[in-house]
Short mmCIF file of all heavy atoms in Angstrom, two decimals:
data_model
loop_
_atom_site.label_atom_id
_atom_site.label_comp_id
_atom_site.label_asym_id
_atom_site.label_seq_id
_atom_site.Cartn_x
_atom_site.Cartn_y
_atom_site.Cartn_z
N ARG T 1 -10.88 -13.47 1.49
CA ARG T 1 -11.37 -12.97 2.77
C ARG T 1 -11.15 -11.48 2.96
O ARG T 1 -11.93 -10.82 3.64
CB ARG T 1 -10.70 -13.72 3.93
CG ARG T 1 -11.01 -15.21 3.96
CD ARG T 1 -10.46 -15.87 5.22
NE ARG T 1 -9.00 -15.78 5.28
CZ ARG T 1 -8.32 -15.09 6.19
NH1 ARG T 1 -8.96 -14.42 7.14
NH2 ARG T 1 -7.00 -15.08 6.16
N PHE T 2 -10.06 -10.96 2.40
CA PHE T 2 -9.71 -9.55 2.55
C PHE T 2 -9.94 -8.82 1.23
O PHE T 2 -9.75 -9.40 0.14
CB PHE T 2 -8.25 -9.37 2.93
CG PHE T 2 -7.88 -9.80 4.33
CD1 PHE T 2 -8.75 -10.54 5.13
CD2 PHE T 2 -6.64 -9.45 4.85
CE1 PHE T 2 -8.39 -10.93 6.41
CE2 PHE T 2 -6.27 -9.83 6.12
CZ PHE T 2 -7.15 -10.57 6.90
N THR T 3 -10.29 -7.55 1.31
CA THR T 3 -10.43 -6.70 0.13
C THR T 3 -9.72 -5.38 0.37
O THR T 3 -10.01 -4.68 1.35
CB THR T 3 -11.90 -6.44 -0.20
OG1 THR T 3 -12.58 -7.67 -0.42
CG2 THR T 3 -12.02 -5.57 -1.45
N ILE T 4 -8.81 -5.03 -0.52
CA ILE T 4 -8.17 -3.73 -0.49
C ILE T 4 -8.90 -2.81 -1.48
O ILE T 4 -9.28 -3.24 -2.57
CB ILE T 4 -6.66 -3.82 -0.80
CG1 ILE T 4 -5.98 -2.46 -0.59
CG2 ILE T 4 -6.41 -4.35 -2.20
CD1 ILE T 4 -4.45 -2.52 -0.67
N SER T 5 -9.09 -1.58 -1.09
CA SER T 5 -9.73 -0.60 -1.96
C SER T 5 -9.15 0.78 -1.67
O SER T 5 -8.47 0.97 -0.67
CB SER T 5 -11.25 -0.60 -1.77
OG SER T 5 -11.60 -0.24 -0.44
N ARG T 6 -9.42 1.72 -2.56
CA ARG T 6 -8.96 3.08 -2.32
C ARG T 6 -9.97 4.08 -2.83
O ARG T 6 -10.72 3.81 -3.77
CB ARG T 6 -7.58 3.32 -2.97
CG ARG T 6 -7.57 3.30 -4.48
CD ARG T 6 -6.14 3.25 -5.02
NE ARG T 6 -5.38 4.44 -4.69
CZ ARG T 6 -4.05 4.52 -4.76
NH1 ARG T 6 -3.34 3.46 -5.14
NH2 ARG T 6 -3.44 5.66 -4.44
N ASP T 7 -9.98 5.23 -2.20
CA ASP T 7 -10.81 6.35 -2.61
C ASP T 7 -9.87 7.52 -2.81
O ASP T 7 -9.46 8.17 -1.85
CB ASP T 7 -11.87 6.65 -1.55
CG ASP T 7 -12.85 7.73 -1.98
OD1 ASP T 7 -12.53 8.50 -2.91
OD2 ASP T 7 -13.94 7.80 -1.38
N ASN T 8 -9.50 7.77 -4.06
CA ASN T 8 -8.52 8.81 -4.33
C ASN T 8 -9.05 10.21 -4.02
O ASN T 8 -8.26 11.11 -3.74
CB ASN T 8 -8.04 8.72 -5.78
CG ASN T 8 -7.09 7.55 -6.01
OD1 ASN T 8 -6.60 6.94 -5.06
ND2 ASN T 8 -6.83 7.24 -7.27
N ALA T 9 -10.35 10.40 -4.09
CA ALA T 9 -10.93 11.68 -3.73
C ALA T 9 -10.76 11.98 -2.25
O ALA T 9 -10.71 13.14 -1.84
CB ALA T 9 -12.39 11.74 -4.12
N GLU T 10 -10.69 10.92 -1.44
CA GLU T 10 -10.52 11.07 0.00
C GLU T 10 -9.10 10.77 0.46
O GLU T 10 -8.83 10.80 1.67
CB GLU T 10 -11.50 10.17 0.74
CG GLU T 10 -12.96 10.54 0.52
CD GLU T 10 -13.33 11.87 1.13
OE1 GLU T 10 -12.70 12.26 2.14
OE2 GLU T 10 -14.24 12.53 0.60
N ASN T 11 -8.21 10.46 -0.45
CA ASN T 11 -6.81 10.14 -0.13
C ASN T 11 -6.70 9.03 0.91
O ASN T 11 -5.91 9.11 1.86
CB ASN T 11 -6.07 11.39 0.37
CG ASN T 11 -5.90 12.44 -0.70
OD1 ASN T 11 -5.99 12.17 -1.90
ND2 ASN T 11 -5.62 13.67 -0.26
N THR T 12 -7.49 7.99 0.71
CA THR T 12 -7.58 6.93 1.71
C THR T 12 -7.56 5.56 1.04
O THR T 12 -8.19 5.36 0.00
CB THR T 12 -8.85 7.07 2.55
OG1 THR T 12 -8.87 8.37 3.16
CG2 THR T 12 -8.92 6.02 3.64
N VAL T 13 -6.84 4.63 1.66
CA VAL T 13 -6.86 3.23 1.26
C VAL T 13 -7.43 2.42 2.42
O VAL T 13 -7.20 2.75 3.59
CB VAL T 13 -5.46 2.74 0.84
CG1 VAL T 13 -4.47 2.81 2.00
CG2 VAL T 13 -5.52 1.33 0.26
N TYR T 14 -8.18 1.38 2.09
CA TYR T 14 -8.87 0.56 3.08
C TYR T 14 -8.46 -0.90 2.96
O TYR T 14 -8.05 -1.37 1.91
CB TYR T 14 -10.39 0.64 2.88
CG TYR T 14 -10.95 2.03 2.90
CD1 TYR T 14 -11.14 2.74 1.72
CD2 TYR T 14 -11.30 2.64 4.10
CE1 TYR T 14 -11.66 4.02 1.72
CE2 TYR T 14 -11.83 3.92 4.12
CZ TYR T 14 -12.01 4.60 2.93
OH TYR T 14 -12.53 5.88 2.95
N LEU T 15 -8.61 -1.60 4.06
CA LEU T 15 -8.51 -3.05 4.05
C LEU T 15 -9.70 -3.60 4.82
O LEU T 15 -9.80 -3.41 6.03
CB LEU T 15 -7.20 -3.53 4.69
CG LEU T 15 -6.94 -5.03 4.60
CD1 LEU T 15 -6.70 -5.45 3.15
CD2 LEU T 15 -5.76 -5.44 5.47
N GLN T 16 -10.60 -4.24 4.09
CA GLN T 16 -11.75 -4.91 4.69
C GLN T 16 -11.38 -6.36 4.94
O GLN T 16 -11.03 -7.08 4.01
CB GLN T 16 -12.96 -4.82 3.78
CG GLN T 16 -14.19 -5.54 4.31
CD GLN T 16 -14.77 -4.87 5.52
OE1 GLN T 16 -15.14 -3.70 5.47
NE2 GLN T 16 -14.85 -5.60 6.63
N MET T 17 -11.46 -6.79 6.19
CA MET T 17 -11.04 -8.12 6.59
C MET T 17 -12.24 -8.90 7.11
O MET T 17 -12.97 -8.41 7.97
CB MET T 17 -9.96 -8.04 7.67
CG MET T 17 -8.72 -7.28 7.23
SD MET T 17 -7.47 -7.13 8.54
CE MET T 17 -8.24 -5.86 9.55
N HIS T 18 -12.43 -10.10 6.58
CA HIS T 18 -13.50 -11.00 7.01
C HIS T 18 -12.89 -12.31 7.49
O HIS T 18 -11.79 -12.69 7.11
CB HIS T 18 -14.47 -11.28 5.87
CG HIS T 18 -15.26 -10.10 5.41
ND1 HIS T 18 -16.15 -9.44 6.23
CD2 HIS T 18 -15.29 -9.46 4.21
CE1 HIS T 18 -16.70 -8.45 5.56
NE2 HIS T 18 -16.20 -8.44 4.34
N SER T 19 -13.67 -13.02 8.29
CA SER T 19 -13.28 -14.34 8.79
C SER T 19 -11.88 -14.33 9.39
O SER T 19 -11.04 -15.18 9.10
CB SER T 19 -13.38 -15.38 7.66
OG SER T 19 -14.69 -15.44 7.14
N LEU T 20 -11.65 -13.38 10.26
CA LEU T 20 -10.32 -13.21 10.85
C LEU T 20 -9.93 -14.40 11.71
O LEU T 20 -10.76 -14.97 12.42
CB LEU T 20 -10.26 -11.92 11.65
CG LEU T 20 -10.07 -10.67 10.80
CD1 LEU T 20 -10.51 -9.43 11.55
CD2 LEU T 20 -8.61 -10.54 10.38
N LYS T 21 -8.65 -14.73 11.67
CA LYS T 21 -8.09 -15.86 12.38
C LYS T 21 -7.18 -15.39 13.50
O LYS T 21 -6.60 -14.30 13.42
CB LYS T 21 -7.31 -16.75 11.42
CG LYS T 21 -8.11 -17.24 10.23
CD LYS T 21 -7.23 -17.98 9.24
CE LYS T 21 -8.03 -18.44 8.04
NZ LYS T 21 -7.17 -19.16 7.06
N LEU T 22 -7.01 -16.22 14.52
CA LEU T 22 -6.17 -15.86 15.66
C LEU T 22 -4.76 -15.49 15.23
O LEU T 22 -4.18 -14.54 15.77
CB LEU T 22 -6.11 -17.01 16.66
CG LEU T 22 -7.37 -17.31 17.46
CD1 LEU T 22 -7.16 -18.55 18.31
CD2 LEU T 22 -7.75 -16.13 18.34
N GLU T 23 -4.21 -16.22 14.28
CA GLU T 23 -2.84 -15.99 13.86
C GLU T 23 -2.66 -14.70 13.05
O GLU T 23 -1.54 -14.34 12.71
CB GLU T 23 -2.30 -17.18 13.06
CG GLU T 23 -3.10 -17.48 11.79
CD GLU T 23 -4.16 -18.54 11.99
OE1 GLU T 23 -4.76 -18.60 13.09
OE2 GLU T 23 -4.41 -19.32 11.04
N GLU T 24 -3.77 -14.02 12.77
CA GLU T 24 -3.69 -12.75 12.05
C GLU T 24 -3.62 -11.55 12.97
O GLU T 24 -3.67 -10.40 12.51
CB GLU T 24 -4.86 -12.65 11.07
CG GLU T 24 -4.71 -13.66 9.94
CD GLU T 24 -5.86 -13.72 8.98
OE1 GLU T 24 -7.03 -13.67 9.42
OE2 GLU T 24 -5.58 -13.80 7.76
N THR T 25 -3.49 -11.80 14.27
CA THR T 25 -3.17 -10.73 15.20
C THR T 25 -1.82 -10.12 14.83
O THR T 25 -0.82 -10.83 14.72
CB THR T 25 -3.13 -11.26 16.63
OG1 THR T 25 -4.44 -11.63 17.04
CG2 THR T 25 -2.59 -10.21 17.59
N ALA T 26 -1.79 -8.82 14.61
CA ALA T 26 -0.57 -8.17 14.14
C ALA T 26 -0.77 -6.67 14.13
O ALA T 26 -1.89 -6.17 14.24
CB ALA T 26 -0.20 -8.66 12.73
N VAL T 27 0.35 -5.96 13.97
CA VAL T 27 0.30 -4.55 13.62
C VAL T 27 0.19 -4.46 12.11
O VAL T 27 1.05 -4.98 11.39
CB VAL T 27 1.54 -3.80 14.13
CG1 VAL T 27 1.53 -2.35 13.62
CG2 VAL T 27 1.59 -3.81 15.65
N TYR T 28 -0.84 -3.81 11.64
CA TYR T 28 -1.08 -3.64 10.21
C TYR T 28 -0.63 -2.26 9.79
O TYR T 28 -1.08 -1.25 10.36
CB TYR T 28 -2.56 -3.85 9.88
CG TYR T 28 -2.98 -5.30 9.92
CD1 TYR T 28 -3.05 -5.99 11.12
CD2 TYR T 28 -3.31 -5.97 8.74
CE1 TYR T 28 -3.42 -7.32 11.16
CE2 TYR T 28 -3.68 -7.30 8.77
CZ TYR T 28 -3.73 -7.97 9.98
OH TYR T 28 -4.11 -9.30 10.00
N SER T 29 0.25 -2.19 8.80
CA SER T 29 0.80 -0.93 8.32
C SER T 29 0.48 -0.73 6.86
O SER T 29 0.50 -1.68 6.08
CB SER T 29 2.32 -0.90 8.51
OG SER T 29 2.68 -1.03 9.87
N CYS T 30 0.22 0.50 6.47
CA CYS T 30 0.09 0.81 5.05
C CYS T 30 1.38 1.40 4.53
O CYS T 30 2.19 1.96 5.29
CB CYS T 30 -1.10 1.73 4.77
SG CYS T 30 -0.96 3.40 5.42
N ALA T 31 1.60 1.26 3.24
CA ALA T 31 2.82 1.70 2.60
C ALA T 31 2.52 2.23 1.21
O ALA T 31 1.56 1.81 0.57
CB ALA T 31 3.83 0.55 2.52
N ALA T 32 3.37 3.14 0.74
CA ALA T 32 3.21 3.77 -0.57
C ALA T 32 4.47 3.61 -1.39
O ALA T 32 5.58 3.75 -0.87
CB ALA T 32 2.87 5.24 -0.41
N ALA T 33 4.30 3.31 -2.68
CA ALA T 33 5.40 3.18 -3.61
C ALA T 33 5.11 3.97 -4.88
O ALA T 33 3.96 4.01 -5.34
CB ALA T 33 5.64 1.71 -3.96
N ARG T 34 6.15 4.55 -5.46
CA ARG T 34 5.98 5.35 -6.66
C ARG T 34 5.98 4.53 -7.94
O ARG T 34 5.35 4.91 -8.92
CB ARG T 34 7.11 6.39 -6.75
CG ARG T 34 7.04 7.51 -5.73
CD ARG T 34 5.86 8.43 -6.00
NE ARG T 34 5.87 9.00 -7.34
CZ ARG T 34 6.51 10.10 -7.70
NH1 ARG T 34 7.21 10.78 -6.79
NH2 ARG T 34 6.44 10.53 -8.95
N TYR T 35 6.67 3.38 -7.96
CA TYR T 35 7.05 2.78 -9.23
C TYR T 35 6.45 1.42 -9.54
O TYR T 35 6.47 1.01 -10.71
CB TYR T 35 8.58 2.66 -9.30
CG TYR T 35 9.27 3.98 -9.10
CD1 TYR T 35 10.07 4.21 -7.98
CD2 TYR T 35 9.12 5.00 -10.03
CE1 TYR T 35 10.70 5.42 -7.79
CE2 TYR T 35 9.75 6.22 -9.85
CZ TYR T 35 10.53 6.42 -8.73
OH TYR T 35 11.16 7.63 -8.55
#
């Protein structure tokens, strides 16, 4: 249902969400890791 993607030229990561459910109400945060 969800697809994560990134555009390194634009320094952006995306999350495309489909068929969203009531229980998926939340604060969505992005995070970065080096390793």
Side-chain angles (χ1 to χ4, degrees):
R1 297 187 297 115
F2 290 12
T3 302
I4 187 171
S5 62
R6 67 192 295 164
D7 185 341
N8 285 348
E10 296 292 332
N11 293 341
T12 303
V13 63
Y14 304 94
L15 186 68
Q16 178 68 59
M17 301 178 285
H18 294 297
S19 301
L20 280 159
K21 304 173 181 179
L22 289 175
E23 60 266 34
E24 292 175 317
T25 292
V27 174
Y28 285 69
S29 299
C30 67
R34 290 292 304 274
Y35 304 114

